[in-house]
Amino acid sequence: MIRYGSLLLALSILFLLSACASKSLEQKTINAADKVRIPTSFEQLTFKSEGRTVFEDEGKFILIEGNKCTQRDSGSEAATVLQWIELPNYVDSGTVILNGWDMRFLHGDREVNTMSADITHSKIVKNEGSTFLVFEAQGKLSDQNRKDAYEFCVFYTAFGYRSVLFDAVIEGDYNGIEAAALQNKNQGALATLENTASRGTLKGNAAIAIIPRGFDFQFDNAFECELGFPPCKWADRTDYRLLQLAYNLSQSSTTPSLDGSLHWATQTVFKDNGTRTYRIRTRTAMILGNSVKLRADFLALNPRAGKTATCSKNVDGVVRTQTFRINDLSFDYAVPLLTGWDLSYECEHQQVQRAGIWLHDIRFDPDSSSLEYKVSSILRDSDGVPSFNTAQRITVLGLNRRIDTPIQRSAPVNIKIRE
């Protein structure tokens, strides 16, 4: 049973999150036109997460997945999800992963100015025998005017463990590690953001894994005048039809460089038929230690050139789902990370009604050392024509228990032998 004092402490911590928004709306129906009363941030936190326990090795490790949706009346403010998950008491370390997102305009399709999905804060809270993972996620979908209602859904995977059994430390957990850049159109559509952090030399077989936390894409302001009132200004926001939206988080190595520094990079694409200047911001966290292992996949981002010569214009306005299975994993526990994705329209740029990609239905079987999961994706305008292309990159984070874990032994029995 949850102790109210511990729960209130967890809620208070989330209440202090700097990016906390004051308005959010729990999803009722996808196309609901009627407004409902927007719950306060505290009211959001009174609802327990509906996360599903994927796997648990009692006393050692737990893996949870879930999702939550919220709506906003306009794109002038980000949609915020405040979430808390109750964890077993043996958990004293853990974090949350952004493993997918799904966003849509609620009334038709639009050109886009901003698209973002970001887990801004995360924290493990322990008090009076209770343990919680609390986090905040923000998403945004807007056009030039930012007046259209939209829905944002975050898909997350959380894991927790008893730290004495693992040589694994999570860093950058609360605020994440941010990187930002302005990609000028003269530099091309493919942007690269590099992160370097100083950690010192890791010992033994220690490795590092970078955890995806979020992205924020926004077309830079440029003069674009559309008929309307009031008259447009030079500094007005711009929006464009979308051809391609892509993200790829990669690390050059699982170990530090010779000087002990850590390095990883994120590549992005955000474009219409042409190449536009856009702003990028990304967020990550990291886990490192001798218990950390990594099985990386590959995804090459190639910016689309624009309208193709041949185009079938098939109708495909539904969610596309694929099932994947990995066998013979040499890990005690495995956590899939959505570290890359590429969504693009089949023919040329279109307006956007819905876009998203998410990892779900995770199944880990330690007996067969196998991991199974599904990836769903969608990119469509109002009529679902043309179809879309999708690709993803899944990195498997492995965790192995320490082999030098102290074993509790009974106290020695002293026997005195009479001389």
Side-chain angles (χ1 to χ4, degrees):
M1 180 178 295
I2 302 173
R3 298 185 182 182
Y4 289 105
S6 301
L7 177 57
L8 288 175
L9 175 62
L11 303 187
S12 299
I13 289 177
L14 265 185
F15 224 61
L16 295 175
L17 295 177
S18 61
C20 177
S22 61
K23 295 182 180 181
S24 57
L25 175 64
E26 200 72 26
Q27 179 188 16
K28 300 299 179 182
T29 58
I30 293 176
N31 295 317
D34 297 331
K35 294 182 180 180
V36 300
R37 188 182 69 84
I38 299 174
T40 65
S41 300
F42 186 83
E43 287 173 330
Q44 277 197 68
L45 291 169
T46 59
F47 297 101
K48 184 179 179 180
S49 165
E50 297 179 357
R52 178 180 69 91
T53 298
V54 172
F55 171 82
E56 181 176 10
D57 188 356
E58 191 171 351
K60 303 179 182 69
F61 176 87
I62 188 170
L63 181 64
I64 297 170
E65 69 173 7
N67 65 84
K68 191 173 183 180
C69 300
T70 188
Q71 296 176 357
R72 296 292 291 177
D73 291 333
S74 72
S76 59
E77 295 183 21
T80 300
V81 171
L82 303 174
Q83 193 74 79
W84 63 272
I85 305 170
E86 187 180 12
L87 297 174
N89 288 337
Y90 64 81
V91 172
D92 56 9
S93 187
T95 191
V96 64
I97 304 152
L98 178 66
N99 258 348
W101 51 276
D102 183 15
M103 57 186 75
R104 73 188 86 193
F105 287 113
L106 295 179
H107 309 296
D109 54 13
R110 301 287 187 272
E111 294 182 348
V112 294
N113 167 263
T114 301
M115 300 181 74
S116 67
D118 191 10
I119 294 180
T120 55
H121 299 285
S122 170
K123 188 175 182 62
I124 291 282
V125 179
K126 291 185 74 72
N127 187 53
E128 297 181 0
S130 298
T131 303
F132 304 96
L133 171 65
V134 290
F135 67 90
E136 176 192 75
Q138 290 189 345
K140 195 169 187 180
L141 176 64
S142 67
D143 64 354
Q144 181 183 49
N145 298 318
R146 300 187 180 183
K147 294 181 179 179
D148 296 287
Y150 69 97
E151 177 186 72
F152 165 66
C153 298
V154 59
F155 291 79
Y156 60 88
T157 303
F159 65 92
Y161 56 91
R162 185 183 176 194
S163 59
V164 71
L165 303 177
F166 299 83
D167 181 3
V169 177
I170 298 168
E171 295 196 353
D173 187 43
Y174 179 70
N175 288 319
I177 303 167
E178 287 193 52
L182 175 68
Q183 181 70 7
N184 191 284
K185 63 181 181 181
N186 297 325
Q187 298 173 299
L190 182 64
T192 301
L193 287 77
E194 297 191 14
N195 290 78
T196 302
S198 178
R199 171 65 188 176
T201 303
L202 298 179
K203 298 180 180 180
N205 297 317
I208 306 157
I210 307 302
I211 296 172
R213 280 288 182 81
F215 68 92
D216 186 350
F217 299 158
Q218 180 179 339
F219 285 120
D220 193 37
N221 294 336
F223 185 69
E224 180 191 40
C225 197
E226 297 178 355
L227 293 178
F229 183 83
C232 56
K233 299 177 182 179
W234 182 266
D236 283 350
R237 292 177 293 273
T238 56
D239 55 8
Y240 303 100
R241 297 188 178 191
L242 188 67
L243 173 67
Q244 185 180 10
L245 175 74
Y247 166 99
N248 187 26
L249 169 65
S250 61
Q251 52 189 102
S252 57
S253 173
T254 59
T255 57
S257 58
L258 294 177
D259 63 357
S261 64
L262 316 177
H263 179 267
W264 67 96
T266 306
Q267 290 187 312
T268 63
V269 177
F270 189 48
K271 71 186 300 292
D272 61 354
N273 279 355
T275 300
R276 309 288 182 177
T277 299
Y278 67 98
R279 299 181 181 275
I280 323 107
R281 182 174 53 82
T282 63
R283 193 185 308 274
T284 56
M286 69 171 71
I287 182 170
L288 59 162
N290 285 284
S291 293
V292 176
K293 309 297 175 184
L294 208 62
R295 184 187 187 277
D297 200 359
F298 178 76
L299 176 65
L301 296 188
N302 297 307
R304 292 275 305 279
K307 188 174 182 179
T308 58
T310 58
C311 178
S312 60
K313 291 191 177 180
N314 293 327
V315 178
D316 187 14
V318 297
V319 173
R320 190 181 304 170
T321 300
Q322 300 170 284
T323 301
F324 301 89
R325 183 180 177 87
I326 303 174
N327 296 314
D328 301 324
L329 290 170
S330 57
F331 312 138
D332 292 332
Y333 313 106
V335 182
L337 314 177
L338 180 61
T339 52
W341 39 264
D342 188 349
L343 298 171
S344 64
Y345 282 112
E346 184 180 281
C347 299
E348 61 175 328
H349 60 201
Q350 304 288 329
Q351 295 191 150
V352 174
Q353 189 272 322
R354 183 181 179 187
I357 185 165
W358 57 96
L359 188 154
H360 58 103
D361 288 342
I362 303 169
R363 291 182 174 87
F364 173 64
D365 183 2
D367 296 329
S368 61
S369 300
S370 64
L371 177 67
E372 185 176 291
Y373 55 87
K374 296 179 180 179
V375 177
S376 294
S377 57
I378 182 70
L379 178 64
R380 60 163 295 162
D381 62 359
S382 59
D383 62 5
V385 181
S387 182
F388 68 97
N389 303 312
T390 180
Q392 65 280 323
R393 177 174 183 258
I394 305 299
T395 299
V396 179
L397 165 64
L399 288 174
N400 287 342
R401 294 186 299 272
R402 297 173 56 138
I403 59 175
D404 59 344
T405 302
I407 300 176
Q408 300 254 350
R409 300 183 184 275
S410 58
V413 178
N414 296 322
I415 302 176
K416 184 176 181 180
I417 301 176
R418 182 179 301 172
E419 296 179 358

